[in-house]
Amino acid sequence: MVEPLTAEPAQLPAPGPAETAESGQPPARAQTAVDRAMTDYLQHMGVERGLAANTLSAYRRDLARYARYLAHAGRQRPAEITRHDVTGFVQALSDGSDGGSALGVRSAARTVVAVRGLHKFWALEGVTPTDPASDVHPPMPGKRLPKAISVDEVTRILEAAGTDTATGLRDRALLEFLYSTGARISEAVGLDVDDISLPAPGEENEPGPAIVRLFGKGSKERLVPLGSFGARALDAYLVRGRPLLAAKGKGTPALFLNARGGRISRQSAWTILKTAAEKANITKDVSPHTLRHSFATHLLEGGADVRVVQELLGHASVTTTQVYTLVTADTLREIYAAAHPRALG
């Protein structure tokens, strides 16, 4: 059963002279109709919506703070709550003016989502005649610019990866593949051998341009070219590395295999990259997604159209891809400021 919100001692109003010196805490306030209606909502979310225990606990904490805010404002019944109360609470989350801790943008947004859900439920159930939070939106976190590394840093990592052993050939092929295709790590480790099309060697006895079939979010399929460096590394692995690893397993169509002959995991792929970065003396925090970010950034810096990059990355919307143009614009500004004689002064 969901615990009532009033199980927590109220923090508002501020402690007064009636409090005991021993506890230093305000006395628990009497339960109001707002508290009871909130408890009904939490029970609905826990029983009928099946929220996980941790999520339900977060909702309870967020709404407990809202209940204290409303009690301090004198709102004892849900129908008394106005839009002004909701917006005032949103502001209090940011500046701590309700006596609670000031929250960051993401934590405040989570709390506002809980409050909006509460009021929507009350309106649908007829607890209140209207929804005062319907047009109150959570604060939007700023866009996190993707962290790319330079072409030189990528090259150093790739050259540090792998040796002429079965696992070494796999490591080099995996990292070359990630950077050459911009694939998500889940897409790479989920590949089967049949998803790769390596043409027969040409006149110089090297594989020509290759095409890879990737399965992105929602199992959406896309075809991505594989550059010559990636194709050579993959060919070497398929010829001299994978057969040795496959012999240790029970037979699997997976492209990238672990030392026991099974499909490699995402955690192992992360370790492979981290090890190569350490060998290359790269001190930045590098993850498989860093290679994906670098793939996109370097393509745009080289003049690729943003919609082409969108297709290669498998983004459903070009808006998602355009965040990379902000990175390249920052780079252009830095170069301009350093190189133009009248950029600064």
Side-chain angles (χ1 to χ4, degrees):
M1 178 177 292
V2 179
E3 297 176 6
L5 290 169
T6 50
E8 296 185 16
Q11 295 182 11
L12 291 175
E19 299 169 17
T20 60
E22 291 81 2
S23 66
Q25 296 293 327
R29 57 181 172 80
Q31 191 178 51
T32 65
V34 166
D35 296 313
R36 291 190 291 271
M38 283 187 180
T39 297
D40 290 342
Y41 172 65
L42 287 170
Q43 289 174 336
H44 164 79
M45 297 298 284
V47 177
E48 298 186 30
R49 296 287 298 277
L51 287 190
N54 288 341
T55 304
L56 194 60
S57 177
Y59 267 65
R60 185 182 294 112
R61 288 194 302 270
D62 293 338
L63 293 180
R65 180 168 179 173
Y66 186 42
R68 292 191 292 269
Y69 178 88
L70 294 173
H72 183 55
R75 307 292 185 249
Q76 296 191 356
R77 292 185 294 275
E80 297 174 350
I81 303 171
T82 66
R83 184 183 185 280
H84 178 73
D85 295 319
V86 180
T87 56
F89 179 64
V90 173
Q91 180 62 41
L93 293 174
S94 300
D95 58 23
S97 57
D98 64 340
S101 301
L103 301 182
V105 174
R106 294 182 183 276
S107 296
R110 184 202 67 214
T111 303
V112 175
V113 167
V115 170
R116 281 171 53 88
L118 170 72
H119 281 289
K120 183 177 181 180
F121 173 78
W122 281 349
L124 290 174
E125 292 294 311
V127 177
T128 58
T130 60
D131 179 357
S134 60
D135 62 347
V136 177
H137 300 288
M140 295 297 293
K143 288 186 176 180
R144 290 185 178 180
L145 296 181
K147 296 180 180 179
I149 56 179
S150 68
V151 175
D152 175 68
E153 289 170 324
V154 172
T155 302
R156 285 162 53 193
I157 289 174
L158 296 178
E159 291 179 348
T163 58
D164 201 26
T165 63
T167 54
L169 291 169
R170 177 208 60 198
D171 295 351
R172 179 64 179 267
L174 173 63
L175 298 187
E176 287 277 9
F177 179 86
L178 289 172
Y179 179 61
S180 184
T181 63
R184 301 176 178 91
I185 187 59
S186 57
E187 295 171 343
V189 300
L191 280 174
D192 292 338
V193 175
D194 291 343
D195 296 323
I196 304 293
S197 174
L198 287 177
E203 294 181 359
E204 298 181 359
N205 200 35
E206 290 186 355
I211 296 294
V212 180
R213 183 174 58 175
L214 296 176
F215 297 91
K217 294 181 178 179
S219 298
K220 184 178 179 181
E221 179 181 334
R222 70 184 187 278
L223 298 178
V224 179
L226 180 66
S228 60
F229 284 86
R232 283 197 296 271
L234 198 56
D235 184 66
Y237 164 65
L238 288 172
V239 173
R240 295 186 285 121
R242 189 181 182 280
L244 297 177
L245 296 176
K248 301 177 182 180
K250 299 180 180 180
T252 173
L255 176 61
F256 295 109
L257 303 180
N258 58 33
R260 298 179 301 279
R263 188 182 296 273
I264 196 172
S265 67
R266 296 173 59 177
Q267 291 76 15
S268 295
W270 191 94
T271 301
I272 290 169
L273 175 57
K274 185 171 181 62
T275 300
E278 290 175 350
K279 288 182 179 178
N281 294 318
I282 303 296
T283 58
K284 296 178 180 177
D285 186 18
V286 178
S287 71
H289 222 64
T290 304
L291 295 182
R292 178 171 163 86
H293 292 324
S294 302
F295 164 86
T297 302
H298 298 165
L299 277 175
L300 289 169
E301 288 177 344
D305 183 85
V306 67
R307 292 198 175 273
V308 173
V309 178
Q310 173 196 356
E311 290 294 326
L312 293 174
L313 291 174
H315 286 159
S317 169
V318 72
T319 303
T320 308
T321 315
Q322 285 174 332
V323 67
Y324 291 99
T325 65
L326 300 177
V327 179
T328 56
D330 286 343
T331 302
L332 289 174
R333 281 193 289 268
E334 291 174 3
I335 294 173
Y336 177 86
H340 196 282
R342 297 184 70 83
L344 302 173

